[in-house]
Amino acid sequence: SFVFVRKYAVKSFLGRKNDTDIDRIVGTEVLITEEVNNKENSGKTKINDVEWRVKSDNGEIIPQGKSAIVEKIEGVSLIVKEK
């Protein structure tokens, strides 16, 4: 009986994906605080006083001061599209 309940509980728990604070960043509009240039590995933004490394989704340069939308997260970098 315990084995059955445990299997069911583990399957139910691991089968669900809950949103985290990180997941909520996707779709957010951000201000580019350092020019985004994938070839030079540069680009930064801030979200809630936390600085993030930024990469362009299409490889194009995004100037400092422009707005962008977070498309996805790869490792510790935000992948953005210029707005």
Side-chain angles (χ1 to χ4, degrees):
S1 161
F2 174 74
V3 173
F4 174 75
V5 171
R6 184 183 179 283
K7 279 185 178 180
Y8 178 76
V10 168
K11 191 180 213 180
S12 294
F13 180 74
L14 294 178
R16 283 185 259 156
K17 183 179 184 301
N18 295 324
D19 283 345
T20 64
D21 289 339
I22 297 296
D23 295 328
R24 291 183 191 130
I25 291 174
V26 175
T28 301
E29 183 174 338
V30 296
L31 179 66
I32 302 302
T33 58
E34 177 186 279
E35 180 182 80
V36 178
N37 186 327
N38 294 3
K39 290 180 182 177
E40 293 184 11
N41 200 26
S42 66
K44 291 184 183 170
T45 191
K46 272 191 174 183
I47 300 175
N48 297 330
D49 294 324
V50 176
E51 190 170 76
W52 286 84
R53 174 138 326 272
V54 178
K55 293 181 181 178
S56 171
D57 69 331
N58 60 9
E60 292 186 12
I61 293 172
I62 303 174
Q64 180 179 348
K66 291 284 189 173
S67 292
I69 303 294
V70 178
E71 298 286 312
K72 61 183 174 179
I73 302 169
E74 285 184 0
V76 296
S77 296
L78 303 179
I79 308 303
V80 301
K81 181 174 187 168
E82 186 174 357
K83 187 172 176 195

